[in-house]
Amino acid sequence: MRIAVLGGGNGSHAAAADLAEQGHEVRLWRRDRRALAPLIDSPRIALVDHAGRREVAIERATPDAAEALDGAELVLAPCPAFAQADLAQAIAPHLRDGQVVYLPPGSFGSFAMARAVRESGNGARVAFAETGTLPYLARMHGPAEVAITTRATRLPTGVFPAVDSEQALATIARAYPAIEAVEDALSAALMNAGPVIHPPLILMNAGPLEHFERWDIHAEGTQSSIRRVTDALDRERIALREALGYSAPHFPLSDHYENDRWMYGNAHEKLVDSGDWREHIDLLGHRYMREDVAYGLAFLVSVGDWAGVPCPVARGLLSIASALVGEPLDQGPRTLAALGLASLDAPGMRELLRNGSGA
């Protein structure tokens, strides 16, 4: 099928190469023509994985959103949550009935982008879906080369509005057979692994991250004390899911470290062995802070407040992060209050998630 892949990062290049190699017609869109120039001139991506290195041809690369989305059944947007508002504005004029926009992961971006597209005046029947992680652990090694350490084996996915789940999930499954249906977009947002794994790792490794030029938060940075904080944070996420009536499996993050039942299977050792995560992390501006804390963790805390479920570890980490960056991250753009949803009661939230009413 024809797939539009949006963005210029690790996940976008991994998806473009991987999906093209599967036989899909892939158009890669990036706003920055200059950065995209190597692939415009020669639409081939060097893909490196367990099978070795080879070049994969994609259908085209383009900075024209209309060209990228024309005829696409699936629109894949593996972009950070903080890019979703601008992305929605860029693609809104070009979305058509029946298309599926997939956000891996989303941080409840499925709702936020659906509303932005609707407010733009586009009334097309478009389904927005999100999952708990990128389909790949990947890092770019150049402007047209990407290394995939491992691929997701399970992708819990929810759709906004949930009434469109059957058609949307069938479309996504043609590209990612590993998807597993969850109840709705909020259920999927509460599967997001980034706000659980990354805040403890960056905040509790703040000293080494500022001292050393490059530091691997998954190797030297994952010590038993940090794991205990991560596990406590994840218990809060799972308690929140249970309080909202969402069913298991909840994909506890401990499975990432201890067995093969998590989204990537048993991937922690592969991640560490690759060496690709020994990197420079600027605590003030890195995606782990600006997405996983300012969007994801703030969202988790706000949902806990709305549902009456205490999340003291999440709130504590959010407070420390706010002090570190000098900003009130608990008042970020992806809290339920910022989204205008904090006043909904439980039946109102269920109606919103199912039918999109109020989006």
Side-chain angles (χ1 to χ4, degrees):
M1 68 176 162
R2 181 174 292 176
I3 301 174
V5 177
L6 311 181
N10 302 307
S12 300
H13 283 77
D18 186 59
L19 295 171
E21 191 170 53
Q22 291 179 37
H24 298 290
E25 182 183 326
V26 173
R27 296 178 178 180
L28 177 63
W29 173 84
R30 185 176 185 178
R31 193 191 309 269
D32 187 341
R33 174 182 286 274
R34 179 176 296 179
L36 196 60
L39 285 171
I40 294 174
D41 296 339
S42 177
R44 304 180 70 84
I45 298 174
L47 174 60
V48 182
D49 62 9
H50 69 280
R53 186 184 189 278
R54 65 272 189 199
E55 288 198 347
V56 179
I58 64 174
E59 201 273 333
R60 73 184 70 168
T62 176
D64 184 333
E67 182 180 18
L69 269 66
D70 182 32
E73 296 177 68
L74 179 63
V75 180
L76 183 69
C79 304
F82 53 74
Q84 290 167 351
D86 285 345
L87 183 62
Q89 294 301 315
I91 67 175
H94 314 296
L95 290 168
R96 301 292 181 262
D97 286 342
Q99 289 182 311
V100 179
V101 179
Y102 192 30
L103 310 174
S107 299
F108 208 44
S110 52
F111 166 78
M113 289 187 68
R115 184 171 65 180
V117 170
R118 185 71 59 187
E119 290 176 348
S120 77
N122 186 339
R125 184 72 176 266
V126 177
F128 291 79
E130 61 181 86
T131 186
T133 189
L134 277 169
Y136 316 92
L137 290 177
R139 281 292 185 267
M140 292 179 66
H141 289 176
E145 179 172 330
V146 65
I148 296 178
T149 299
T150 192
R151 293 165 172 81
T153 57
R154 306 177 71 184
L155 289 169
T157 298
V159 178
F160 183 85
V163 69
D164 291 334
S165 293
E166 183 176 358
Q167 177 261 331
L169 293 172
T171 298
I172 298 167
R174 292 164 62 190
Y176 294 108
I179 65 166
E180 300 181 16
V182 300
E183 297 88 343
D184 53 43
L186 179 56
S187 177
L190 293 173
M191 291 289 194
N192 192 348
V196 177
I197 191 171
H198 291 138
L201 286 176
I202 61 168
L203 294 172
M204 298 180 74
N205 281 284
L209 286 172
E210 289 192 325
H211 178 74
F212 296 106
E213 179 61 26
R214 306 174 75 84
W215 181 257
D216 191 332
I217 58 173
H218 298 287
E220 298 92 342
T222 303
Q223 300 299 328
S224 57
S225 57
I226 297 175
R227 275 291 316 280
R228 289 194 292 273
V229 174
T230 303
D231 289 345
L233 175 59
D234 204 36
R235 285 195 293 270
E236 294 179 355
R237 177 189 67 87
I238 293 171
L240 180 54
R241 285 183 50 80
E242 291 174 339
L244 293 174
Y246 292 132
S247 61
H250 301 298
F251 290 83
L253 192 62
S254 57
D255 287 350
H256 167 68
Y257 296 100
E258 298 168 4
N259 57 60
D260 62 357
R261 294 193 297 271
W262 201 65
M263 299 180 201
Y264 293 118
N266 190 1
H268 181 68
E269 290 184 5
K270 294 179 183 177
L271 186 153
V272 171
D273 290 345
S274 73
D276 281 342
W277 278 261
R278 184 170 300 282
E279 57 189 341
H280 175 71
I281 293 179
D282 172 8
L283 283 171
L284 297 182
H286 196 274
R287 181 179 63 81
Y288 295 159
M289 182 69 74
R290 293 301 167 182
E291 178 178 26
D292 293 323
V293 176
Y295 278 69
L297 198 60
F299 173 76
L300 178 66
V301 169
S302 76
V303 177
D305 288 344
W306 174 81
V309 177
C311 297
V313 175
R315 185 178 298 280
L317 290 168
L318 186 59
S319 297
I320 292 171
S322 296
L324 192 155
V325 301
E327 301 172 28
L329 298 182
D330 60 336
Q331 300 173 30
R334 198 50 63 82
T335 65
L336 290 187
L339 294 171
L341 303 179
S343 62
L344 284 179
D345 58 12
M349 182 68 80
R350 287 193 294 270
E351 171 65 17
L352 171 73
L353 293 169
R354 174 163 177 75
N355 295 311
S357 304

